[in-house]
Amino acid sequence: GTSRISEEEFMDFGNVVLLEFQRADYYASFVEKYLPGVAASPSYQRFCKFVKSKYFEFTIDAILVLNAVVIAIQSAPELSGKRVEIDPHYYNGRIDTVWEFVEAIF
């Protein structure tokens, strides 16, 4: 385009800015909507409380950082330009090495 807006477009934008929005802090989850018995159980309530806590956020952040470290360690030889030969039993579907175990976790 012309990187210009018409007066009509500008007025439409002004109308959008004047709209008021209501914040919705709560919505019904799938479990609450379709499985109310499960949603009312104490164990589900504890699970919800944990997921909404800072501890859950810190746990997920730690897992993501750990995953990045594992990827960096695994990729270091290739990134440094070294020739890497893949062990043929790597693709046999079994967890034979520590790295295969770590990959299976992530």
Coordinates of all heavy atoms in Angstrom, one line a residue, residues 13-97:
F13 N -10.6 3.6 13.5 CA -9.6 3.2 14.5 C -10.0 3.9 15.8 O -9.9 3.3 16.9 CB -8.2 3.6 14.0 CG -7.2 3.3 15.1 CD1 -6.8 2.0 15.4 CD2 -6.6 4.4 15.8 CE1 -5.9 1.8 16.4 CE2 -5.7 4.1 16.8 CZ -5.3 2.8 17.1
G14 N -10.4 5.2 15.7 CA -10.8 5.9 16.9 C -12.0 5.3 17.6 O -12.0 5.2 18.8
N15 N -12.9 4.8 16.8 CA -14.1 4.1 17.4 C -13.6 2.8 18.1 O -14.2 2.4 19.2 CB -15.1 3.8 16.3 CG -15.8 5.0 15.9 OD1 -15.9 6.0 16.6 ND2 -16.3 5.0 14.7
V16 N -12.7 2.1 17.6 CA -12.2 0.9 18.2 C -11.5 1.2 19.5 O -11.7 0.5 20.5 CB -11.2 0.1 17.2 CG1 -10.5 -1.0 18.0 CG2 -11.9 -0.4 16.0
V17 N -10.7 2.3 19.6 CA -10.0 2.6 20.8 C -11.0 3.0 21.9 O -10.8 2.7 23.1 CB -9.1 3.8 20.5 CG1 -8.5 4.4 21.8 CG2 -8.0 3.4 19.6
L18 N -12.2 3.5 21.5 CA -13.2 3.9 22.5 C -14.0 2.7 23.1 O -14.7 2.8 24.1 CB -14.2 4.9 21.9 CG -13.6 6.2 21.6 CD1 -14.6 7.1 20.9 CD2 -13.1 6.9 22.9
L19 N -13.8 1.5 22.5 CA -14.6 0.3 23.0 C -14.1 0.0 24.4 O -12.9 0.1 24.7 CB -14.4 -0.9 22.0 CG -15.0 -0.8 20.7 CD1 -14.7 -2.0 19.8 CD2 -16.5 -0.7 20.8
E20 N -14.9 -0.5 25.2 CA -14.6 -1.0 26.5 C -14.6 -2.5 26.5 O -15.5 -3.1 25.9 CB -15.5 -0.5 27.5 CG -15.4 1.0 27.8 CD -16.3 1.5 28.9 OE1 -16.7 0.7 29.7 OE2 -16.7 2.6 28.9
F21 N -13.6 -3.1 27.1 CA -13.5 -4.6 27.1 C -13.6 -5.0 28.6 O -13.1 -4.3 29.5 CB -12.1 -5.0 26.6 CG -11.9 -4.7 25.1 CD1 -11.3 -3.6 24.7 CD2 -12.5 -5.5 24.2 CE1 -11.1 -3.3 23.4 CE2 -12.3 -5.2 22.8 CZ -11.6 -4.1 22.4
Q22 N -14.2 -6.1 28.8 CA -14.4 -6.7 30.1 C -13.4 -7.8 30.2 O -13.2 -8.7 29.3 CB -15.8 -7.2 30.4 CG -16.8 -6.1 30.4 CD -18.2 -6.7 30.7 OE1 -18.4 -7.9 30.6 NE2 -19.1 -5.8 30.9
R23 N -12.7 -7.8 31.4 CA -11.7 -8.9 31.6 C -12.4 -10.1 32.1 O -13.2 -10.1 33.0 CB -10.7 -8.4 32.6 CG -9.6 -9.5 32.9 CD -8.6 -8.9 33.9 NE -7.6 -10.0 34.2 CZ -6.4 -10.0 33.7 NH1 -6.0 -9.0 33.0 NH2 -5.6 -10.9 34.0
A24 N -12.1 -11.3 31.5 CA -12.7 -12.5 31.9 C -11.6 -13.3 32.6 O -10.7 -13.9 32.0 CB -13.2 -13.3 30.7
D25 N -11.6 -13.3 34.0 CA -10.6 -14.0 34.7 C -10.9 -15.5 34.9 O -10.0 -16.3 35.2 CB -10.5 -13.4 36.1 CG -9.9 -12.0 36.1 OD1 -9.1 -11.8 35.2 OD2 -10.2 -11.3 37.0
Y26 N -12.1 -15.9 34.6 CA -12.5 -17.3 34.8 C -13.2 -17.8 33.6 O -14.0 -17.1 33.0 CB -13.3 -17.5 36.0 CG -13.8 -18.9 36.2 CD1 -12.9 -19.8 36.7 CD2 -15.0 -19.4 35.8 CE1 -13.2 -21.2 36.9 CE2 -15.4 -20.7 35.9 CZ -14.5 -21.6 36.5 OH -14.8 -22.9 36.6
Y27 N -12.8 -19.0 33.2 CA -13.6 -19.7 32.1 C -13.6 -21.2 32.5 O -12.7 -21.7 33.2 CB -13.0 -19.5 30.7 CG -11.6 -20.1 30.6 CD1 -11.4 -21.4 30.2 CD2 -10.5 -19.3 31.0 CE1 -10.1 -21.9 30.1 CE2 -9.2 -19.9 30.9 CZ -9.0 -21.1 30.4 OH -7.8 -21.7 30.3
A28 N -14.6 -21.9 32.1 CA -14.7 -23.3 32.4 C -13.8 -24.1 31.6 O -13.8 -24.0 30.3 CB -16.2 -23.7 32.3
S29 N -13.0 -25.0 32.2 CA -12.1 -25.9 31.4 C -12.9 -27.0 30.9 O -14.1 -27.2 31.2 CB -11.0 -26.4 32.4 OG -11.6 -27.3 33.3
F30 N -12.3 -27.8 30.1 CA -13.0 -29.0 29.5 C -13.5 -29.9 30.6 O -14.6 -30.4 30.6 CB -12.0 -29.7 28.6 CG -12.5 -31.0 28.0 CD1 -13.3 -31.0 26.9 CD2 -12.3 -32.2 28.7 CE1 -13.8 -32.2 26.4 CE2 -12.8 -33.4 28.2 CZ -13.6 -33.4 27.0
V31 N -12.6 -30.1 31.6 CA -13.0 -31.0 32.7 C -14.1 -30.5 33.5 O -15.1 -31.2 33.8 CB -11.7 -31.3 33.6 CG1 -12.1 -32.1 34.8 CG2 -10.6 -32.0 32.9
E32 N -14.1 -29.2 33.8 CA -15.2 -28.6 34.5 C -16.5 -28.6 33.7 O -17.6 -28.8 34.3 CB -14.8 -27.1 34.9 CG -13.7 -27.0 35.9 CD -13.2 -25.6 36.0 OE1 -13.2 -24.9 35.1 OE2 -12.7 -25.3 37.1
K33 N -16.4 -28.4 32.4 CA -17.6 -28.4 31.6 C -18.2 -29.8 31.4 O -19.4 -29.9 31.5 CB -17.2 -27.7 30.3 CG -18.4 -27.3 29.4 CD -17.9 -26.5 28.2 CE -19.0 -25.9 27.5 NZ -18.6 -25.1 26.4
Y34 N -17.4 -30.8 31.1 CA -17.9 -32.1 30.7 C -17.7 -33.2 31.7 O -18.3 -34.2 31.6 CB -17.2 -32.5 29.3 CG -17.5 -31.6 28.2 CD1 -16.6 -30.7 27.7 CD2 -18.8 -31.6 27.6 CE1 -16.9 -29.8 26.7 CE2 -19.1 -30.7 26.6 CZ -18.1 -29.8 26.1 OH -18.4 -29.0 25.1
L35 N -16.9 -32.9 32.7 CA -16.7 -33.9 33.8 C -16.8 -33.3 35.1 O -15.8 -33.2 35.9 CB -15.3 -34.6 33.6 CG -15.1 -35.3 32.3 CD1 -13.6 -35.7 32.1 CD2 -15.9 -36.5 32.1
P36 N -17.9 -32.7 35.5 CA -18.0 -32.0 36.7 C -17.7 -32.8 38.0 O -17.2 -32.3 39.0 CB -19.5 -31.5 36.7 CG -20.2 -32.3 35.8 CD -19.2 -32.8 34.8
G37 N -17.9 -34.1 37.9 CA -17.6 -34.9 39.1 C -16.1 -35.0 39.3 O -15.7 -34.9 40.5
V38 N -15.4 -35.1 38.3 CA -13.9 -35.1 38.4 C -13.4 -33.7 38.8 O -12.5 -33.6 39.7 CB -13.2 -35.5 37.0 CG1 -11.7 -35.4 37.1 CG2 -13.6 -36.9 36.6
A39 N -14.0 -32.7 38.3 CA -13.6 -31.3 38.6 C -13.8 -31.0 40.1 O -13.1 -30.2 40.7 CB -14.3 -30.3 37.7
A40 N -14.8 -31.6 40.7 CA -15.1 -31.3 42.1 C -14.3 -32.2 43.0 O -14.3 -31.9 44.2 CB -16.6 -31.6 42.3
S41 N -13.5 -33.1 42.5 CA -12.8 -34.0 43.4 C -11.6 -33.3 44.0 O -11.0 -32.3 43.4 CB -12.3 -35.2 42.6 OG -11.2 -34.8 41.7
P42 N -11.3 -33.6 45.3 CA -10.1 -32.9 46.0 C -8.8 -33.1 45.2 O -8.0 -32.2 45.2 CB -10.1 -33.6 47.3 CG -11.4 -34.3 47.5 CD -11.9 -34.6 46.1
S43 N -8.6 -34.2 44.6 CA -7.3 -34.4 43.9 C -7.2 -33.5 42.7 O -6.1 -32.9 42.4 CB -7.1 -35.9 43.5 OG -8.2 -36.3 42.7
Y44 N -8.3 -33.3 42.0 CA -8.3 -32.4 40.8 C -8.1 -31.0 41.3 O -7.4 -30.2 40.7 CB -9.6 -32.6 40.0 CG -9.6 -31.7 38.8 CD1 -8.9 -32.0 37.7 CD2 -10.3 -30.5 38.8 CE1 -9.0 -31.2 36.5 CE2 -10.3 -29.7 37.7 CZ -9.7 -30.0 36.6 OH -9.7 -29.2 35.5
Q45 N -8.7 -30.6 42.4 CA -8.6 -29.3 42.9 C -7.1 -29.0 43.3 O -6.6 -27.9 43.1 CB -9.5 -29.1 44.1 CG -11.0 -29.0 43.7 CD -11.3 -27.9 42.7 OE1 -10.9 -26.8 42.9 NE2 -12.0 -28.3 41.7
R46 N -6.5 -30.0 44.0 CA -5.0 -29.9 44.3 C -4.2 -29.7 43.1 O -3.3 -28.9 43.0 CB -4.6 -31.1 45.1 CG -5.0 -31.0 46.6 CD -4.2 -32.1 47.4 NE -4.3 -33.4 46.9 CZ -5.3 -34.3 47.2 NH1 -6.3 -33.9 48.0 NH2 -5.4 -35.5 46.7
F47 N -4.5 -30.5 42.0 CA -3.8 -30.4 40.8 C -3.9 -29.0 40.2 O -3.0 -28.4 39.7 CB -4.3 -31.5 39.8 CG -3.7 -31.4 38.4 CD1 -2.4 -31.8 38.2 CD2 -4.4 -31.0 37.4 CE1 -1.8 -31.7 37.0 CE2 -3.9 -30.9 36.1 CZ -2.6 -31.3 35.9
C48 N -5.1 -28.5 40.2 CA -5.4 -27.2 39.6 C -4.6 -26.1 40.4 O -4.0 -25.2 39.8 CB -6.9 -26.8 39.7 SG -7.8 -27.7 38.4
K49 N -4.6 -26.2 41.7 CA -3.9 -25.3 42.6 C -2.4 -25.3 42.2 O -1.7 -24.3 42.1 CB -4.1 -25.6 44.0 CG -3.6 -24.6 45.0 CD -3.9 -25.0 46.4 CE -3.2 -24.0 47.4 NZ -3.5 -24.3 48.8
F50 N -1.8 -26.5 42.0 CA -0.4 -26.7 41.7 C -0.1 -26.1 40.3 O 0.9 -25.4 40.2 CB 0.0 -28.1 41.7 CG 1.4 -28.4 41.2 CD1 2.5 -27.9 41.9 CD2 1.6 -29.0 40.0 CE1 3.7 -28.1 41.4 CE2 2.8 -29.2 39.5 CZ 3.9 -28.8 40.2
V51 N -1.0 -26.3 39.4 CA -0.7 -25.8 38.0 C -0.8 -24.3 38.0 O 0.0 -23.6 37.2 CB -1.8 -26.4 37.0 CG1 -1.7 -25.7 35.7 CG2 -1.5 -27.9 36.8
K52 N -1.6 -23.7 38.8 CA -1.7 -22.2 38.9 C -0.6 -21.6 39.8 O -0.6 -20.4 39.8 CB -3.1 -21.8 39.4 CG -4.2 -22.2 38.4 CD -5.6 -21.9 38.9 CE -6.6 -22.3 37.9 NZ -8.0 -22.1 38.4
S53 N 0.2 -22.4 40.4 CA 1.2 -21.9 41.4 C 2.4 -21.4 40.7 O 2.7 -21.8 39.5 CB 1.5 -22.9 42.4 OG 2.3 -23.9 41.9
K54 N 3.2 -20.7 41.4 CA 4.6 -20.3 40.8 C 5.5 -21.5 40.7 O 6.4 -21.5 39.9 CB 5.2 -19.2 41.7 CG 4.6 -17.8 41.6 CD 5.0 -17.3 40.2 CE 4.5 -15.8 40.1 NZ 4.8 -15.3 38.8
Y55 N 5.3 -22.4 41.6 CA 6.2 -23.6 41.6 C 6.1 -24.4 40.3 O 7.1 -24.9 39.8 CB 5.8 -24.6 42.8 CG 6.1 -24.0 44.1 CD1 5.0 -23.7 45.0 CD2 7.4 -23.7 44.5 CE1 5.3 -23.1 46.2 CE2 7.6 -23.1 45.8 CZ 6.6 -22.8 46.6 OH 6.8 -22.3 47.8
F56 N 4.9 -24.4 39.8 CA 4.7 -25.1 38.5 C 5.4 -24.3 37.4 O 6.1 -24.9 36.5 CB 3.2 -25.2 38.1 CG 2.9 -25.9 36.9 CD1 2.9 -27.3 36.8 CD2 2.5 -25.2 35.7 CE1 2.7 -27.9 35.6 CE2 2.2 -25.8 34.5 CZ 2.3 -27.2 34.5
E57 N 5.3 -23.0 37.4 CA 5.9 -22.2 36.4 C 7.5 -22.3 36.5 O 8.1 -22.5 35.5 CB 5.6 -20.7 36.6 CG 6.1 -19.8 35.6 CD 5.6 -18.4 35.8 OE1 4.5 -18.2 36.4 OE2 6.2 -17.5 35.2
F58 N 8.0 -22.4 37.7 CA 9.4 -22.6 37.9 C 9.9 -23.9 37.4 O 10.9 -24.1 36.8 CB 9.8 -22.4 39.4 CG 9.7 -20.9 39.9 CD1 9.3 -20.7 41.2 CD2 9.9 -19.9 39.0 CE1 9.2 -19.4 41.6 CE2 9.8 -18.6 39.5 CZ 9.4 -18.3 40.8
T59 N 9.0 -24.9 37.7 CA 9.3 -26.3 37.3 C 9.4 -26.4 35.7 O 10.3 -27.0 35.2 CB 8.3 -27.3 37.8 OG1 8.3 -27.2 39.2 CG2 8.6 -28.7 37.4
I60 N 8.4 -25.8 35.1 CA 8.4 -25.8 33.6 C 9.6 -25.1 33.1 O 10.3 -25.5 32.1 CB 7.1 -25.2 33.1 CG1 5.9 -26.1 33.5 CG2 7.1 -25.1 31.5 CD1 6.0 -27.6 33.0
D61 N 9.9 -23.9 33.6 CA 11.1 -23.1 33.2 C 12.4 -24.0 33.4 O 13.2 -24.0 32.5 CB 11.2 -21.8 34.0 CG 10.1 -20.8 33.6 OD1 9.5 -21.0 32.6 OD2 10.0 -19.9 34.4
A62 N 12.5 -24.6 34.5 CA 13.7 -25.5 34.7 C 13.8 -26.6 33.7 O 14.9 -26.9 33.2 CB 13.7 -26.0 36.1
I63 N 12.7 -27.2 33.4 CA 12.7 -28.3 32.4 C 13.1 -27.8 31.0 O 13.9 -28.4 30.3 CB 11.3 -29.0 32.3 CG1 11.1 -29.8 33.6 CG2 11.2 -29.9 31.1 CD1 9.6 -30.3 33.8
L64 N 12.6 -26.6 30.7 CA 13.0 -26.0 29.4 C 14.5 -25.7 29.3 O 15.1 -25.9 28.3 CB 12.1 -24.8 29.1 CG 10.6 -25.0 28.8 CD1 9.9 -23.7 28.7 CD2 10.5 -25.8 27.6
V65 N 15.0 -25.1 30.4 CA 16.4 -24.8 30.4 C 17.2 -26.1 30.3 O 18.2 -26.1 29.6 CB 16.8 -23.9 31.7 CG1 18.3 -23.8 31.9 CG2 16.1 -22.6 31.6
L66 N 16.8 -27.1 31.1 CA 17.6 -28.3 31.1 C 17.5 -29.0 29.7 O 18.5 -29.5 29.2 CB 17.0 -29.3 32.1 CG 17.6 -30.6 32.3 CD1 19.1 -30.5 32.7 CD2 16.9 -31.5 33.3
N67 N 16.4 -28.9 29.0 CA 16.3 -29.4 27.7 C 17.2 -28.6 26.7 O 17.8 -29.3 25.9 CB 14.8 -29.3 27.2 CG 14.6 -30.0 25.9 OD1 15.3 -30.8 25.5 ND2 13.5 -29.6 25.2
A68 N 17.3 -27.3 26.9 CA 18.2 -26.5 26.0 C 19.7 -26.9 26.3 O 20.4 -27.0 25.3 CB 18.0 -25.1 26.3
V69 N 20.0 -27.2 27.5 CA 21.4 -27.7 27.8 C 21.6 -29.0 27.2 O 22.7 -29.2 26.6 CB 21.6 -27.7 29.4 CG1 22.9 -28.4 29.7 CG2 21.5 -26.3 29.9
V70 N 20.7 -29.9 27.3 CA 20.9 -31.3 26.7 C 21.1 -31.1 25.2 O 21.9 -31.8 24.6 CB 19.7 -32.2 27.0 CG1 19.7 -33.4 26.2 CG2 19.7 -32.5 28.5
I71 N 20.3 -30.3 24.5 CA 20.4 -30.1 23.1 C 21.7 -29.5 22.7 O 22.4 -29.9 21.8 CB 19.2 -29.3 22.6 CG1 17.9 -30.0 22.6 CG2 19.5 -28.8 21.1 CD1 16.7 -29.2 22.4
A72 N 22.2 -28.5 23.5 CA 23.5 -27.9 23.3 C 24.6 -28.9 23.4 O 25.5 -29.0 22.6 CB 23.7 -26.8 24.2
I73 N 24.5 -29.8 24.4 CA 25.6 -30.8 24.6 C 25.6 -31.8 23.5 O 26.6 -32.2 23.0 CB 25.4 -31.5 26.0 CG1 25.7 -30.6 27.2 CG2 26.2 -32.8 26.1 CD1 25.3 -31.1 28.5
Q74 N 24.4 -32.2 23.1 CA 24.3 -33.2 22.0 C 24.8 -32.6 20.7 O 25.3 -33.3 19.8 CB 22.9 -33.7 21.8 CG 22.4 -34.7 22.9 CD 21.0 -35.1 22.6 OE1 20.1 -34.3 22.3 NE2 20.8 -36.4 22.8
S75 N 24.5 -31.3 20.5 CA 24.8 -30.7 19.2 C 26.2 -30.1 19.1 O 26.7 -29.6 18.1 CB 23.8 -29.6 18.9 OG 22.5 -30.1 18.9
A76 N 26.9 -30.0 20.3 CA 28.2 -29.4 20.3 C 29.2 -29.9 19.3 O 29.9 -29.1 18.6 CB 28.8 -29.5 21.7
P77 N 29.4 -31.2 19.1 CA 30.3 -31.7 18.1 C 30.0 -31.2 16.7 O 30.9 -30.7 16.0 CB 30.2 -33.2 18.2 CG 29.7 -33.5 19.5 CD 28.8 -32.3 19.9
E78 N 28.7 -31.3 16.3 CA 28.3 -30.8 15.0 C 28.5 -29.3 14.8 O 29.0 -28.9 13.8 CB 26.9 -31.2 14.7 CG 26.6 -32.7 14.5 CD 26.2 -33.4 15.8 OE1 26.3 -32.7 16.9 OE2 25.8 -34.5 15.7
L79 N 28.2 -28.6 15.8 CA 28.3 -27.1 15.8 C 29.7 -26.7 15.7 O 30.0 -25.6 15.2 CB 27.6 -26.5 16.9 CG 26.0 -26.7 17.0 CD1 25.5 -26.1 18.2 CD2 25.4 -26.0 15.8
S80 N 30.6 -27.5 16.3 CA 32.1 -27.1 16.3 C 32.8 -27.6 15.0 O 34.0 -27.4 14.9 CB 32.8 -27.6 17.5 OG 32.8 -29.1 17.5
G81 N 32.0 -28.2 14.1 CA 32.6 -28.6 12.8 C 33.2 -30.0 12.8 O 33.8 -30.4 11.8
K82 N 33.1 -30.8 13.9 CA 33.6 -32.1 13.9 C 32.8 -33.1 13.1 O 31.6 -32.9 13.1 CB 33.8 -32.6 15.4 CG 34.7 -31.8 16.2 CD 34.8 -32.4 17.6 CE 35.8 -31.6 18.4 NZ 35.8 -32.0 19.8
R83 N 33.4 -34.0 12.5 CA 32.7 -35.1 11.8 C 32.2 -36.1 12.8 O 32.9 -36.6 13.6 CB 33.6 -35.7 10.8 CG 32.9 -36.7 9.8 CD 33.8 -37.0 8.7 NE 33.0 -37.7 7.7 CZ 33.0 -39.1 7.6 NH1 33.8 -39.8 8.3 NH2 32.3 -39.7 6.7
V84 N 30.9 -36.3 12.7 CA 30.2 -37.2 13.7 C 29.6 -38.4 12.9 O 28.8 -38.2 12.0 CB 29.2 -36.5 14.5 CG1 28.5 -37.4 15.4 CG2 29.8 -35.3 15.2
E85 N 29.9 -39.6 13.3 CA 29.3 -40.7 12.7 C 28.3 -41.3 13.7 O 28.6 -41.5 14.9 CB 30.4 -41.8 12.4 CG 31.3 -41.4 11.3 CD 32.3 -42.5 11.0 OE1 32.0 -43.7 11.2 OE2 33.4 -42.1 10.5
I86 N 27.1 -41.6 13.2 CA 26.0 -42.1 14.0 C 26.2 -43.6 14.2 O 26.4 -44.3 13.2 CB 24.7 -41.8 13.4 CG1 24.5 -40.3 13.1 CG2 23.5 -42.3 14.2 CD1 23.8 -39.5 14.1
D87 N 26.1 -44.0 15.4 CA 26.2 -45.5 15.7 C 24.9 -46.1 15.1 O 23.8 -45.7 15.3 CB 26.2 -45.7 17.2 CG 26.5 -47.1 17.6 OD1 26.7 -47.9 16.7 OD2 26.6 -47.3 18.8
P88 N 25.1 -47.2 14.3 CA 23.9 -47.9 13.6 C 22.9 -48.3 14.6 O 21.7 -48.3 14.3 CB 24.5 -49.0 12.9 CG 26.0 -49.0 13.1 CD 26.3 -47.9 14.0
H89 N 23.2 -48.8 15.8 CA 22.2 -49.3 16.7 C 21.4 -48.1 17.4 O 20.5 -48.3 18.1 CB 22.8 -50.2 17.8 CG 23.4 -49.5 18.9 ND1 24.7 -49.1 18.9 CD2 22.9 -49.2 20.2 CE1 25.0 -48.5 20.1 NE2 24.0 -48.5 20.8
Y90 N 21.8 -46.9 17.0 CA 21.1 -45.7 17.6 C 19.6 -45.7 17.1 O 18.7 -45.3 17.8 CB 21.8 -44.4 17.1 CG 21.2 -43.2 17.6 CD1 21.3 -42.8 18.9 CD2 20.4 -42.3 16.8 CE1 20.8 -41.6 19.4 CE2 19.9 -41.2 17.3 CZ 20.0 -40.8 18.6 OH 19.5 -39.7 19.0
Y91 N 19.4 -46.2 15.9 CA 18.1 -46.2 15.3 C 17.3 -47.5 15.4 O 16.4 -47.8 14.7 CB 18.1 -45.8 13.8 CG 18.6 -44.4 13.6 CD1 19.9 -44.1 13.1 CD2 17.8 -43.3 13.9 CE1 20.3 -42.8 13.0 CE2 18.2 -42.0 13.7 CZ 19.5 -41.8 13.3 OH 19.9 -40.5 13.1
N92 N 17.7 -48.4 16.3 CA 17.1 -49.7 16.5 C 15.8 -49.7 17.3 O 15.2 -50.7 17.5 CB 18.1 -50.7 17.0 CG 18.5 -50.5 18.4 OD1 18.0 -49.5 19.1 ND2 19.4 -51.3 18.9
G93 N 15.5 -48.5 17.9 CA 14.2 -48.4 18.6 C 14.4 -48.7 20.1 O 13.5 -48.7 20.9
R94 N 15.6 -49.1 20.5 CA 15.9 -49.4 21.9 C 16.6 -48.3 22.6 O 17.4 -47.6 21.9 CB 16.7 -50.7 22.1 CG 16.0 -51.9 21.6 CD 16.8 -53.2 21.9 NE 16.2 -54.3 21.3 CZ 16.8 -55.1 20.4 NH1 18.1 -54.8 20.1 NH2 16.2 -56.1 19.8
I95 N 16.5 -48.1 23.9 CA 17.2 -47.1 24.6 C 18.5 -47.8 25.2 O 18.4 -48.5 26.2 CB 16.3 -46.6 25.8 CG1 15.1 -45.9 25.2 CG2 17.1 -45.6 26.6 CD1 14.1 -45.4 26.2
D96 N 19.6 -47.6 24.4 CA 20.8 -48.3 24.7 C 21.8 -47.4 25.4 O 22.8 -47.9 26.0 CB 21.4 -48.8 23.5 CG 20.6 -49.8 22.7 OD1 19.8 -50.5 23.4 OD2 20.6 -49.9 21.5
T97 N 21.7 -46.1 25.3 CA 22.7 -45.2 25.8 C 22.1 -44.2 26.8 O 20.8 -44.0 26.8 CB 23.4 -44.4 24.7 OG1 22.5 -43.5 24.1 CG2 24.1 -45.3 23.7

